[in-house]
Amino acid sequence: MATYAIGDVQGCYDSLRKLLDKLHFDPVSDVLWLTGDLVNRGPASAEVIRFVKNMPRTQVVLGNHDLHLLAVAQGHRPRKNLDTFDDVLRADDREPLLDWLRYRPLAHFDEDRGILMVHAGFHPRWSLPQALDYAHDVQILLQDDRTYAQLLACMYGDQPAAPSGKMPTFERARTIINAFTRIRYCDDAGNMDFTQVGPPGTQPIELRPWYEIAHIEHFRVVFGHWSMLGARALPNMISLDSGCVHGGQLSAVDLDQIPHGFVQIRCTGQSWRPSW
Ligand SMILES: [Mn+2]
């Protein structure tokens, strides 16, 4: 029995199937973790959700594109020109697909392995127990019919740049969502920057990758989202988005064999497009 984590699939259904074949993945005994952004930019978002939803042993966290799909589907946000999830919106099984996404968490912590999976990152002001509490708080807003619409309507925007003790509920939720699903760089005070997408070394001097300043002790963060960072392993993190949908690679790692590195397939995806 193996447990594999795979980076951002973004509608690249064929690539996901090819990578699972390469891993000799057995859906009955093996476990599949996905770092979120199952949908958008690629050609087959609905097929990806349908496939993962029907797999027996999966852990999936929500990414910014997954949340954006929910917001568009609920009419809280216009579809953007680059969005390619009409196949989900027009599907006969649209509601079960969207509902399944809605009930995914923002964070998954595996105590035995000491691994936290999130889509983008872990805020430098957080401890692990706080982060898990915050993820849970947002999950409740997302899953409760009384708060679902307002959460989706309020989650867009880059401010506040850092979480703080007393914030109105939905502003706080936006900051938590931004930290889990969009963070790449921060300043030393923990203010998140959403303008820089390049690899470390290309950012202004006052910014650092979140994983260089976050308090990650006795666990490791597995994440995707940062395609220009690529597949990388450091003692406190494993990054898995290697730009499949931009013509890069789809990457997997066996979570019990991390020193052996990544298993990858080259994708036949689309050419590079700016990503949100
Ligand atoms: Mn993302």
Side-chain angles (χ1 to χ4, degrees):
M1 188 190 109
T3 298
Y4 298 99
I6 292 182
D8 307 27
V9 177
Q10 296 208 250
C12 294
Y13 175 73
D14 292 344
S15 302
L16 175 61
R17 295 301 302 266
K18 269 188 226 159
L19 182 55
L20 291 174
D21 286 349
K22 187 168 176 178
L23 295 167
H24 303 291
F25 186 85
D26 179 347
V28 176
S29 59
D30 295 335
V31 181
L32 175 63
W33 290 25
L34 293 169
T35 60
D37 279 359
L38 268 59
V39 302
N40 211 3
R41 302 283 188 269
S45 295
E47 261 181 302
V48 171
I49 305 177
R50 222 172 267 134
F51 175 72
V52 177
K53 176 175 176 285
N54 289 325
M55 284 186 68
R57 298 158 67 86
T58 55
Q59 287 291 343
V60 177
V61 290
L62 285 167
N64 52 314
H65 285 283
D66 306 314
L67 288 166
H68 177 58
L69 167 58
L70 293 176
V72 172
Q74 290 294 312
H76 298 300
R77 201 74 184 174
R79 194 184 153 285
K80 293 190 238 173
N81 286 339
L82 295 175
D83 290 340
T84 63
F85 43 52
D86 280 359
D87 56 339
V88 182
L89 299 174
R90 292 186 185 142
D92 290 341
D93 54 350
R94 159 195 161 118
E95 290 313 317
L97 297 181
L98 294 170
D99 242 29
W100 179 85
L101 263 192
R102 177 183 171 186
Y103 283 85
R104 295 314 97 197
L106 282 172
H108 170 70
F109 184 58
D110 180 330
E111 235 166 273
D112 295 336
R113 293 188 177 84
I115 294 181
L116 174 74
M117 175 168 66
V118 293
H119 176 61
F122 182 83
H123 197 278
R125 288 194 188 167
W126 291 348
S127 67
L128 179 59
Q130 279 171 336
L132 295 175
D133 279 352
Y134 298 155
H136 183 70
D137 292 346
V138 171
Q139 227 168 294
I140 287 173
L141 296 174
L142 191 63
Q143 294 173 5
D144 190 325
D145 286 340
R146 292 167 300 182
T147 48
Y148 183 46
Q150 202 177 346
L151 177 71
L152 294 176
C154 294
M155 75 178 177
Y156 290 86
D158 296 347
Q159 298 296 328
S164 68
K166 292 214 164 135
M167 279 182 178
T169 305
F170 290 96
E171 199 166 283
R172 178 173 176 270
R174 183 192 314 134
T175 308
I176 293 169
I177 288 172
N178 280 340
F180 278 122
T181 72
R182 294 180 61 214
I183 196 172
R184 291 187 186 92
Y185 291 105
C186 282
D187 66 17
D188 286 341
N191 293 303
M192 297 181 279
D193 168 273
F194 299 108
T195 64
Q196 302 295 312
V197 302
T202 62
Q203 82 276 22
I205 194 151
E206 67 276 14
L207 298 176
R208 287 202 278 163
W210 61 265
Y211 53 82
E212 288 186 7
I213 39 182
H215 304 287
I216 307 170
E217 285 146 20
H218 313 298
F219 68 101
R220 195 167 192 164
V221 183
V222 172
F223 64 101
H225 183 66
W226 196 342
S227 61
M228 293 178 83
L229 181 62
R232 241 180 234 214
L234 295 173
N236 67 357
M237 67 79 148
I238 302 168
S239 70
L240 282 170
D241 184 2
S242 38
C244 174
V245 76
H246 308 308
Q249 291 172 317
L250 189 62
S251 298
V253 68
D254 180 335
L255 291 176
D256 299 312
Q257 308 281 338
I258 290 167
H260 295 287
F262 300 100
V263 178
Q264 298 179 308
I265 51 141
R266 185 148 285 286
C267 296
T268 51
Q270 305 172 341
S271 57
W272 188 87
R273 285 169 155 187
S275 100
W276 177 48

